[in-house]
Amino acid sequence: MRGFLDLERSARACFRMSVLMGANTRTYKFALAETLLHFGAQGRDAVPLDVFVEPYTMEMARRQVAGACHVSATAEPGPADFLTHLERDAAASLALGHPTDALREAAVASVPGMVMKKFPMVGGAPLPIPFYRMEGRGKNGTVVLTPEMQEVAAPEHLAGLRAETRARQSIVEASFDAGIGRDLMAAGVIADPDSGMLQDVRRRRSVARVDDAVRGFQHGRCLLCRDLLAPGDDVDIDHVFPFMLMRRFGILLAWQGPDLDALWNLAPTHRSCNAKKSADWPEPDVLDRLIQRNEAIIGSPHPLSKTLQLVLKAYGGRWGALFDAVRAACE
């Protein structure tokens, strides 16, 4: 997982690493990420804890009322757990427009000693860049945001990071959902390039947008030119190995190579870069970046990782063998 920071060592990369690669048994981390972005975007450097937990709690409440699954089947909450309070008070909090007193108190009691301690830990080690620290305790506590957190939440990055966080949360929630979670964990997801969505394998239920789900693993950059995918940029989902290769024999059924419509071969790019590349074979440096992006996904937990592991297993665990299979199918 540290290879992800070798590609780009920045505050944004560390923030993404926590959101995309941290282990998840609950969805608290995503609500905390949303809250940090919320106050970071305001330029706040110190927020009273009882104020800080309000957007955190309301984000959790919105997902709860919408039917999201906040916890894995192996981590059922107990009677004193924050999720137990949330289940009881989520609807009332949304009706009020702010957390109930009881839910706010539960958040104040749980957030500093639980999710705020876990957020900066990835693979058992702390991230090299801190985003906050706690001063004081309980209702008198204060969350102090670092300059790096304000840098992460800068306007040119904010919308993209929020979209990535919400996509990751949706994927994790789906993996917790007993209705579709088993399929996701066993077989991963499939990509529907026509709709731009990732779907569960059996029921074709949409889980998240391809762009939002994988952009962060590319550090928010176009796979082709490596420049940032900035707000307002026209973005395409590129087939790195052109989809037209599968039609070279006239019908798709004649194609004997790897599925080029699959997640491993799809990447967010600038529309102009995608148009310039057209149906050309990918350059070696683009293939290197594709491998790095896919290895980062494999280093993350839950269905995206499983999706690529299953693809790679069929080629002896080697991306080079998969690429060779594409070339061989074209001969």
Side-chain angles (χ1 to χ4, degrees):
M1 287 190 285
R2 292 292 162 181
F4 185 73
L5 294 185
D6 293 338
L7 298 175
E8 180 174 315
R9 196 174 186 85
S10 67
R12 281 193 314 282
C14 286
F15 191 86
R16 282 187 166 110
M17 193 169 184
S18 179
V19 171
L20 299 175
M21 298 184 173
N24 303 115
T25 57
R26 302 174 185 231
T27 61
Y28 296 153
K29 177 176 286 190
F30 306 112
L32 180 60
E34 290 269 9
T35 303
L36 291 168
L37 290 170
H38 173 79
F39 287 113
Q42 295 178 3
R44 301 281 292 270
D45 55 11
V47 185
L49 180 58
D50 62 343
V51 174
F52 183 85
V53 299
E54 180 161 332
Y56 169 88
T57 302
M58 294 302 285
E59 172 64 17
M60 295 288 288
R62 281 189 289 271
R63 307 290 286 212
Q64 175 74 26
V65 170
C69 189
H70 285 302
V71 61
S72 73
T74 59
E76 287 297 326
D81 196 290
F82 174 75
L83 288 181
T84 303
H85 294 276
L86 181 71
E87 184 176 0
R88 185 181 61 236
D89 283 11
S93 296
L94 292 186
L96 288 169
H98 58 78
T100 64
D101 290 344
L103 192 55
R104 189 189 299 271
E105 288 177 7
V108 166
S110 68
V111 167
M114 184 264 302
V115 66
M116 290 186 75
K117 287 187 176 180
K118 293 183 177 180
F119 187 88
M121 303 296 293
V122 178
L127 294 170
I129 295 176
F131 298 113
Y132 54 81
R133 68 179 185 274
M134 277 297 305
E135 293 184 353
R137 293 187 175 185
K139 292 182 179 180
N140 296 320
T142 299
V143 180
V144 178
L145 302 184
T146 65
E148 289 82 3
M149 186 62 239
Q150 296 173 12
E151 174 190 336
V152 167
E156 63 267 31
H157 307 299
L158 184 62
L161 286 171
R162 279 178 168 159
E164 293 167 22
T165 299
R166 290 167 185 170
R168 189 67 188 173
Q169 181 169 3
S170 294
I171 292 168
V172 170
E173 287 169 348
S175 74
F176 290 167
D177 183 348
I180 62 174
R182 292 187 184 92
D183 289 346
L184 287 172
M185 296 308 293
V189 295
I190 55 174
D192 178 13
D194 291 336
S195 67
M197 300 297 295
L198 295 174
Q199 301 174 334
D200 71 285
V201 173
R202 295 186 183 175
R203 292 196 284 170
R204 301 299 175 99
R205 172 174 163 179
S206 292
V207 176
R209 292 180 66 239
V210 173
D211 181 4
D212 296 336
V214 305
R215 186 188 292 213
F217 293 103
Q218 299 174 193
H219 293 281
R221 298 179 181 276
C222 170
L223 192 78
L224 298 177
C225 75
R226 283 293 292 157
D227 287 343
L228 286 173
L229 296 166
D233 286 350
D234 290 326
V235 175
D236 280 347
I237 300 299
D238 176 47
H239 289 77
V240 180
F241 285 95
F243 180 73
M244 290 301 296
L245 294 175
M246 294 176 67
R247 294 189 179 276
R248 64 182 292 133
F249 298 107
I251 58 173
L252 291 179
L253 291 177
W255 174 253
Q256 298 298 312
D259 183 4
L260 303 184
D261 243 349
L263 179 63
W264 71 268
N265 191 48
L266 300 177
T269 65
H270 291 113
R271 183 164 298 167
S272 57
C273 294
N274 190 28
K276 182 178 179 181
K277 170 180 173 270
S278 187
D280 291 345
W281 196 269
E283 297 290 336
D285 61 329
V286 173
L287 291 182
D288 286 343
R289 290 197 287 272
L290 180 65
I291 291 172
Q292 291 167 343
R293 193 281 309 268
N294 285 346
E295 285 296 319
I297 292 175
I298 287 175
S300 70
H302 299 303
L304 294 191
S305 175
K306 184 66 171 182
T307 301
L308 297 193
Q309 288 176 27
L310 290 171
V311 170
L312 203 55
K313 183 178 180 180
Y315 297 93
R318 296 174 49 245
W319 292 108
L322 186 152
F323 298 162
D324 287 345
V326 177
R327 296 185 181 96
C330 294
E331 294 176 352

